Amino acid sequence: MVAINQNMFEAGITTDRPGGASLMVLPLNLIAQIVSNVDDTGDLARLCRTCRVLNYMALPQLYNSLTLTSYDRIRYRGEQPEGIGSASPFTMGLNAVITRSYATLVRSITLRGGWKERELEEHAQVGRVPDSSMLLNIAVRAAVDRMTNLESFSWELNTKMLETVYSGLTQLPKLTSLTIRFPSTRHPQPTFVLPGMPHLRSLKITDIDPLCYPDDIATMLLKSRKLRELKLHWSPRMRNAQEPSVCLHDYFRKCIASKQPLPVKKLCFQNMYAFHSEDFNIAFDPTTVEDVVFLSGTDSLGLVNTFVDNSWPTVVPNKKLRIKSIRMDTISKRNSEFLGNFKGLQRLYFVNVTADSSDYLNSLRPTPGSNSSALTSPASDYPNGITVNSPSPATAASPASLLNIALNVRDSYLANIATNHGATLRHLLLSSKWPLSTAMIARLVHSCPNLEQLALATEFSSMESLGMLVPFLRKLVALRLLIPAGSPPPQNSSTSNGASRGQSAASSENPPRVNKDLGSTEGSIGWTKAIEDALLKSRSLADLVELDDELLTYMMSYDLADKNVFGNVKIVGMGWKAFELRDFYKAPILSRDESVVQSPAVDLSTETEEENPTNGTNGAGAENRSPKQPTASNPTSPSLPPNIPDAALTSKSWTAPSNPFSTLGKRTRGDDDDESGVRQAPLDLREDANHPSPNFPKRGCFPRTMTDDGQVMRRDMRRVGWEVLQHWEIWALDAQEI
């Protein structure tokens, strides 16, 4: 091995320039490390146009993963159409791969969107493929032939992929992942026997419709002996119309005939509506399956589907299952019995979002735009808002009997989870239809001590107990509180739209924002009064989540400041909001000012003239000092995060809610009741001068965790969106996606 010259790690490209420091002064390996962390495609393209060195480093990353999106109409950026002076970005991307020497850099390519096919019906009547579709497949085949290092290929266009592209993919020696989408239109198209790809490890086929495009995948499944991940998505039309046209034997007949079951590890079925056959038991090796996803896409009772769904057994005979993860959206007695027939489950996800109910109260996903709507099949519309599977009002069961059935199914699920999988469970996403009581949460927590991510719906009255049960989950890093299904909309909300809810749209009835002007406390008085009224009127979790973000972060910064209890928790979600927990820090204790007697209020100033005579201020200027401004005598005074309502802290008229409670249910305890050794700061109480009676309700601050030096512990927090939550499974996997 050639010895490495250490000077290359210290050498730069250019010397210092008169105009200032240059990036190229840094060592080459450090520049390469910086470029490798650039994810935005536009930034990578601009780096490639900067200089030759950055072009050399950024070009392989720019072409490593290509996503070309086609649109059936011309789009405009401002006043100029996309591709002005040339062609569409989609075709120009294919042209760059075909005509330039960049094809070997491509490792993954995705073709998606809508391809406009002219006179499709006329061509279908005479048995021809439109020329535009054929030319598209020829261009893609030319690009595939040049991408010799291609590892992943995704066809997500709304037109069918032809045999020309299939034959080109079989010649790629490194292709391990393939995604195929069938068109949703019902026009005659040529059918093919999909060829085998020996190196394929992941196969995903979406929008399968046997009556429209009966392409044969049996040969591909038989010859792909390295296949470890199989995802099959059928068109929702068959399940909605109770049309059992799917014959699983046709897909796996060659594996069954050759007695070579597929040794897959991940098996995903979506919108499958098919009878079970005994041959299906030998199509897969159940001892190798570790991850199972079964999504039906509907939230109706599905009484008609009973004839098909009940044909499937709840246990594989004479086989020991080794399933580690299950994700499903169907809740039934049969599924709960299936969970009780094996042990060792590590991840369990109940998908709450279905085609019938978007569950906007718990949805944090961004609103689908025009791009994503072209990639997925539209949700089926039902006449008069009634699904085909829904029983008629005359034959529907009584509400009491339906409630008893739902409770029995819920108890069966929880019992099987606690008994068979509690010791091994790591991730748990429960259904929002199950608002758990304190006793249920306690049993779940004690039987699943190794949970790392937990999402559940709880009764509003049980939130007080939740804060006492969380400390038993020592490994918990993510907690998501779901708003129970069927909950009334928030009292302060004037909209029920899921998109605006996810984006935290402001309502005219919402409490006003905090007045940041420390010199004026008139706005903060009205703000805190509105917040107090909102807290007192809160009767559900939805009402609590509807409060202003700054108040929620202010309250939770106290509630989650106990390192012994919430030290490992990194993110907390409540309904359609989520907060990232950051560092712990110390803050001065909020003391009481006996010289000021006003209406029932709490003095939240950090320190008074009498307590700290060396603060360098007089009485007139004491109230204008912000707690996050360090004093001359105390330069280490901690800086509070920017999301804390400063005006509320400095105002002497801040009114705390009566009977204060924690947003996570952490109980208010005195020094004598603290069993964990953490001292809680006493509540600041002041009796109203107009109501001197000792029976008059006191008002105080939230519970605080004291330190040995007499300060209070707080936690830095910030509101986060989908860009952060998509990396946490209890949020990312709560969707109708395989």
Side-chain angles (χ1 to χ4, degrees), residues 21 23 42 47 50 61 87 92 115 293 318 327 381 407 423 463 490 497 499 509 554 566 599 625 660 686 701:
L23 174 67
L47 284 175
T50 301
Q61 189 172 347
M92 292 306 298
W115 182 260
V293 178
N318 302 324
R327 186 161 70 100
D381 297 330
L407 293 179
M463 292 185 62
N497 185 283
E509 299 178 4
Y554 173 64
F566 302 104
S599 61
R625 180 180 299 280
R686 179 178 294 116
C701 192

mmCIF file of all heavy atoms in Angstrom, residues 21 23 42 47 50 61 87 92 115 293 318 327 381 407 423 463 490 497 499 509 554 566 599 625 660 686 701:
data_model
loop_
_atom_site.group_PDB
_atom_site.id
_atom_site.type_symbol
_atom_site.label_atom_id
_atom_site.label_comp_id
_atom_site.label_asym_id
_atom_site.label_seq_id
_atom_site.Cartn_x
_atom_site.Cartn_y
_atom_site.Cartn_z
ATOM 1 N N ALA A 21 -11.396 35.889 3.263
ATOM 2 C CA ALA A 21 -11.094 34.470 3.341
ATOM 3 C C ALA A 21 -11.832 33.705 2.250
ATOM 4 O O ALA A 21 -12.944 34.048 1.850
ATOM 5 C CB ALA A 21 -11.488 33.928 4.715
ATOM 6 N N LEU A 23 -12.987 29.708 0.749
ATOM 7 C CA LEU A 23 -13.193 28.311 1.129
ATOM 8 C C LEU A 23 -12.044 27.428 0.668
ATOM 9 O O LEU A 23 -11.686 26.460 1.335
ATOM 10 C CB LEU A 23 -14.519 27.810 0.530
ATOM 11 C CG LEU A 23 -14.845 26.318 0.714
ATOM 12 C CD1 LEU A 23 -15.080 26.007 2.190
ATOM 13 C CD2 LEU A 23 -16.066 25.940 -0.104
ATOM 14 N N GLY A 42 -30.251 22.291 -5.493
ATOM 15 C CA GLY A 42 -29.861 23.594 -6.023
ATOM 16 C C GLY A 42 -28.504 24.041 -5.520
ATOM 17 O O GLY A 42 -27.707 24.609 -6.282
ATOM 18 N N LEU A 47 -22.628 24.778 -6.517
ATOM 19 C CA LEU A 47 -21.242 24.438 -6.212
ATOM 20 C C LEU A 47 -20.515 23.931 -7.448
ATOM 21 O O LEU A 47 -19.331 24.216 -7.651
ATOM 22 C CB LEU A 47 -21.198 23.372 -5.109
ATOM 23 C CG LEU A 47 -21.482 23.836 -3.679
ATOM 24 C CD1 LEU A 47 -21.513 22.644 -2.730
ATOM 25 C CD2 LEU A 47 -20.428 24.841 -3.218
ATOM 26 N N THR A 50 -19.125 26.729 -9.502
ATOM 27 C CA THR A 50 -18.253 27.690 -8.823
ATOM 28 C C THR A 50 -16.831 27.634 -9.352
ATOM 29 O O THR A 50 -16.270 28.634 -9.800
ATOM 30 C CB THR A 50 -18.265 27.422 -7.312
ATOM 31 O OG1 THR A 50 -19.600 27.529 -6.826
ATOM 32 C CG2 THR A 50 -17.397 28.425 -6.588
ATOM 33 N N GLN A 61 -21.951 13.765 -6.241
ATOM 34 C CA GLN A 61 -23.060 13.819 -5.291
ATOM 35 C C GLN A 61 -24.328 14.347 -5.943
ATOM 36 O O GLN A 61 -25.438 13.930 -5.594
ATOM 37 C CB GLN A 61 -22.678 14.698 -4.098
ATOM 38 C CG GLN A 61 -23.671 14.665 -2.953
ATOM 39 C CD GLN A 61 -23.161 15.400 -1.732
ATOM 40 O OE1 GLN A 61 -21.969 15.732 -1.657
ATOM 41 N NE2 GLN A 61 -24.036 15.656 -0.788
ATOM 42 N N ALA A 87 -36.184 22.559 -23.454
ATOM 43 C CA ALA A 87 -37.332 21.674 -23.248
ATOM 44 C C ALA A 87 -37.644 21.617 -21.765
ATOM 45 O O ALA A 87 -37.080 22.354 -20.951
ATOM 46 C CB ALA A 87 -37.048 20.289 -23.822
ATOM 47 N N MET A 92 -34.817 17.292 -20.353
ATOM 48 C CA MET A 92 -33.434 17.754 -20.344
ATOM 49 C C MET A 92 -32.593 16.948 -19.368
ATOM 50 O O MET A 92 -31.386 16.761 -19.582
ATOM 51 C CB MET A 92 -33.385 19.241 -19.981
ATOM 52 C CG MET A 92 -33.990 20.154 -21.042
ATOM 53 S SD MET A 92 -33.287 19.904 -22.684
ATOM 54 C CE MET A 92 -31.575 20.323 -22.398
ATOM 55 N N TRP A 115 -47.311 11.906 -17.372
ATOM 56 C CA TRP A 115 -46.871 11.988 -18.769
ATOM 57 C C TRP A 115 -48.109 12.127 -19.644
ATOM 58 O O TRP A 115 -48.999 11.279 -19.613
ATOM 59 C CB TRP A 115 -46.073 10.752 -19.151
ATOM 60 C CG TRP A 115 -45.554 10.793 -20.562
ATOM 61 C CD1 TRP A 115 -46.086 10.175 -21.648
ATOM 62 C CD2 TRP A 115 -44.399 11.491 -21.024
ATOM 63 N NE1 TRP A 115 -45.344 10.437 -22.766
ATOM 64 C CE2 TRP A 115 -44.289 11.244 -22.415
ATOM 65 C CE3 TRP A 115 -43.446 12.302 -20.409
ATOM 66 C CZ2 TRP A 115 -43.266 11.775 -23.183
ATOM 67 C CZ3 TRP A 115 -42.425 12.833 -21.179
ATOM 68 C CH2 TRP A 115 -42.340 12.564 -22.544
ATOM 69 N N VAL A 293 -46.352 -5.570 6.995
ATOM 70 C CA VAL A 293 -47.193 -4.378 6.854
ATOM 71 C C VAL A 293 -48.452 -4.801 6.109
ATOM 72 O O VAL A 293 -48.373 -5.346 5.000
ATOM 73 C CB VAL A 293 -46.472 -3.245 6.093
ATOM 74 C CG1 VAL A 293 -47.400 -2.051 5.916
ATOM 75 C CG2 VAL A 293 -45.207 -2.839 6.819
ATOM 76 N N ASN A 318 -47.715 -25.323 12.331
ATOM 77 C CA ASN A 318 -46.414 -25.994 12.404
ATOM 78 C C ASN A 318 -45.257 -25.078 11.998
ATOM 79 O O ASN A 318 -44.246 -25.546 11.484
ATOM 80 C CB ASN A 318 -46.400 -27.249 11.521
ATOM 81 C CG ASN A 318 -47.496 -28.227 11.904
ATOM 82 O OD1 ASN A 318 -47.835 -28.379 13.082
ATOM 83 N ND2 ASN A 318 -48.072 -28.883 10.905
ATOM 84 N N ARG A 327 -47.096 -3.439 11.203
ATOM 85 C CA ARG A 327 -47.786 -2.160 10.989
ATOM 86 C C ARG A 327 -49.091 -2.446 10.269
ATOM 87 O O ARG A 327 -49.090 -3.076 9.200
ATOM 88 C CB ARG A 327 -46.922 -1.202 10.170
ATOM 89 C CG ARG A 327 -47.523 0.192 10.042
ATOM 90 C CD ARG A 327 -46.454 1.194 9.647
ATOM 91 N NE ARG A 327 -45.989 1.003 8.294
ATOM 92 C CZ ARG A 327 -46.404 1.726 7.252
ATOM 93 N NH1 ARG A 327 -47.309 2.686 7.442
ATOM 94 N NH2 ARG A 327 -45.925 1.522 6.054
ATOM 95 N N ASP A 381 -64.018 8.431 -3.950
ATOM 96 C CA ASP A 381 -65.137 9.225 -3.459
ATOM 97 C C ASP A 381 -66.347 8.331 -3.304
ATOM 98 O O ASP A 381 -66.634 7.494 -4.165
ATOM 99 C CB ASP A 381 -65.461 10.360 -4.432
ATOM 100 C CG ASP A 381 -64.303 11.331 -4.555
ATOM 101 O OD1 ASP A 381 -63.568 11.478 -3.551
ATOM 102 O OD2 ASP A 381 -64.122 11.915 -5.636
ATOM 103 N N LEU A 407 -64.619 -2.079 22.981
ATOM 104 C CA LEU A 407 -63.883 -2.203 24.240
ATOM 105 C C LEU A 407 -63.291 -3.590 24.391
ATOM 106 O O LEU A 407 -62.156 -3.740 24.883
ATOM 107 C CB LEU A 407 -64.815 -1.880 25.409
ATOM 108 C CG LEU A 407 -65.305 -0.428 25.503
ATOM 109 C CD1 LEU A 407 -66.240 -0.265 26.697
ATOM 110 C CD2 LEU A 407 -64.140 0.544 25.614
ATOM 111 N N ALA A 423 -41.934 -7.528 27.102
ATOM 112 C CA ALA A 423 -40.509 -7.510 27.463
ATOM 113 C C ALA A 423 -39.621 -7.093 26.308
ATOM 114 O O ALA A 423 -38.506 -6.595 26.523
ATOM 115 C CB ALA A 423 -40.093 -8.888 27.979
ATOM 116 N N MET A 463 -54.221 12.487 32.487
ATOM 117 C CA MET A 463 -52.937 13.101 32.176
ATOM 118 C C MET A 463 -52.119 13.375 33.420
ATOM 119 O O MET A 463 -50.895 13.435 33.373
ATOM 120 C CB MET A 463 -53.149 14.390 31.387
ATOM 121 C CG MET A 463 -53.703 14.181 29.991
ATOM 122 S SD MET A 463 -53.790 15.703 29.057
ATOM 123 C CE MET A 463 -52.065 16.167 29.003
ATOM 124 N N PRO A 490 -61.470 21.906 19.068
ATOM 125 C CA PRO A 490 -61.079 22.844 20.126
ATOM 126 C C PRO A 490 -62.038 24.015 20.223
ATOM 127 O O PRO A 490 -62.573 24.505 19.225
ATOM 128 C CB PRO A 490 -59.675 23.290 19.700
ATOM 129 C CG PRO A 490 -59.190 22.219 18.786
ATOM 130 C CD PRO A 490 -60.390 21.677 18.099
ATOM 131 N N ASN A 497 -60.013 22.398 9.233
ATOM 132 C CA ASN A 497 -59.250 21.924 8.101
ATOM 133 C C ASN A 497 -57.940 21.347 8.568
ATOM 134 O O ASN A 497 -57.209 21.932 9.346
ATOM 135 C CB ASN A 497 -58.995 23.093 7.129
ATOM 136 C CG ASN A 497 -58.304 22.643 5.859
ATOM 137 O OD1 ASN A 497 -57.112 22.410 5.866
ATOM 138 N ND2 ASN A 497 -59.070 22.509 4.798
ATOM 139 N N ALA A 499 -55.124 20.762 6.919
ATOM 140 C CA ALA A 499 -53.914 21.432 6.461
ATOM 141 C C ALA A 499 -53.607 22.657 7.297
ATOM 142 O O ALA A 499 -52.476 22.869 7.728
ATOM 143 C CB ALA A 499 -54.083 21.825 4.987
ATOM 144 N N GLU A 509 -60.117 33.885 17.260
ATOM 145 C CA GLU A 509 -60.476 33.693 18.647
ATOM 146 C C GLU A 509 -59.325 33.192 19.493
ATOM 147 O O GLU A 509 -59.471 33.015 20.692
ATOM 148 C CB GLU A 509 -61.644 32.704 18.737
ATOM 149 C CG GLU A 509 -62.888 33.184 18.022
ATOM 150 C CD GLU A 509 -64.004 32.165 18.088
ATOM 151 O OE1 GLU A 509 -63.797 31.133 18.752
ATOM 152 O OE2 GLU A 509 -65.052 32.404 17.504
ATOM 153 N N TYR A 554 -43.411 27.501 27.572
ATOM 154 C CA TYR A 554 -43.090 28.063 28.884
ATOM 155 C C TYR A 554 -43.484 27.097 29.998
ATOM 156 O O TYR A 554 -42.717 26.852 30.928
ATOM 157 C CB TYR A 554 -43.808 29.403 29.044
ATOM 158 C CG TYR A 554 -43.695 30.000 30.440
ATOM 159 C CD1 TYR A 554 -42.472 30.387 30.949
ATOM 160 C CD2 TYR A 554 -44.831 30.162 31.226
ATOM 161 C CE1 TYR A 554 -42.369 30.932 32.211
ATOM 162 C CE2 TYR A 554 -44.738 30.701 32.490
ATOM 163 C CZ TYR A 554 -43.503 31.084 32.981
ATOM 164 O OH TYR A 554 -43.403 31.608 34.245
ATOM 165 N N PHE A 566 -37.081 13.012 32.944
ATOM 166 C CA PHE A 566 -37.185 13.257 31.508
ATOM 167 C C PHE A 566 -35.815 13.489 30.876
ATOM 168 O O PHE A 566 -35.736 14.130 29.834
ATOM 169 C CB PHE A 566 -38.070 14.477 31.251
ATOM 170 C CG PHE A 566 -39.454 14.357 31.825
ATOM 171 C CD1 PHE A 566 -39.802 15.042 32.973
ATOM 172 C CD2 PHE A 566 -40.396 13.546 31.229
ATOM 173 C CE1 PHE A 566 -41.078 14.940 33.496
ATOM 174 C CE2 PHE A 566 -41.666 13.433 31.751
ATOM 175 C CZ PHE A 566 -42.012 14.128 32.895
ATOM 176 N N SER A 599 -54.577 42.435 42.318
ATOM 177 C CA SER A 599 -55.540 41.360 42.143
ATOM 178 C C SER A 599 -54.812 40.032 42.169
ATOM 179 O O SER A 599 -53.583 39.998 42.086
ATOM 180 C CB SER A 599 -56.264 41.531 40.807
ATOM 181 O OG SER A 599 -55.330 41.478 39.764
ATOM 182 N N ARG A 625 -35.991 45.161 34.077
ATOM 183 C CA ARG A 625 -34.877 44.269 33.791
ATOM 184 C C ARG A 625 -35.412 42.933 33.318
ATOM 185 O O ARG A 625 -36.280 42.352 33.929
ATOM 186 C CB ARG A 625 -34.005 44.068 35.025
ATOM 187 C CG ARG A 625 -32.818 43.127 34.762
ATOM 188 C CD ARG A 625 -31.977 42.949 36.007
ATOM 189 N NE ARG A 625 -31.417 44.211 36.445
ATOM 190 C CZ ARG A 625 -30.367 44.769 35.915
ATOM 191 N NH1 ARG A 625 -29.753 44.192 34.903
ATOM 192 N NH2 ARG A 625 -29.923 45.911 36.363
ATOM 193 N N PRO A 660 -53.005 25.068 39.336
ATOM 194 C CA PRO A 660 -52.149 24.853 38.168
ATOM 195 C C PRO A 660 -51.866 23.375 37.970
ATOM 196 O O PRO A 660 -51.732 22.611 38.906
ATOM 197 C CB PRO A 660 -50.863 25.612 38.535
ATOM 198 C CG PRO A 660 -50.859 25.647 40.018
ATOM 199 C CD PRO A 660 -52.287 25.734 40.436
ATOM 200 N N ARG A 686 -50.581 34.617 46.692
ATOM 201 C CA ARG A 686 -50.913 35.921 47.210
ATOM 202 C C ARG A 686 -52.422 36.007 47.362
ATOM 203 O O ARG A 686 -53.164 35.651 46.459
ATOM 204 C CB ARG A 686 -50.423 37.019 46.266
ATOM 205 C CG ARG A 686 -50.796 38.406 46.789
ATOM 206 C CD ARG A 686 -50.277 39.494 45.888
ATOM 207 N NE ARG A 686 -48.829 39.511 45.918
ATOM 208 C CZ ARG A 686 -48.077 39.254 44.859
ATOM 209 N NH1 ARG A 686 -48.626 38.975 43.733
ATOM 210 N NH2 ARG A 686 -46.761 39.270 44.945
ATOM 211 N N CYS A 701 -47.730 29.475 40.564
ATOM 212 C CA CYS A 701 -46.953 29.174 39.382
ATOM 213 C C CYS A 701 -46.890 27.670 39.199
ATOM 214 O O CYS A 701 -47.433 26.904 39.982
ATOM 215 C CB CYS A 701 -45.542 29.765 39.524
ATOM 216 S SG CYS A 701 -44.595 29.742 37.996
#
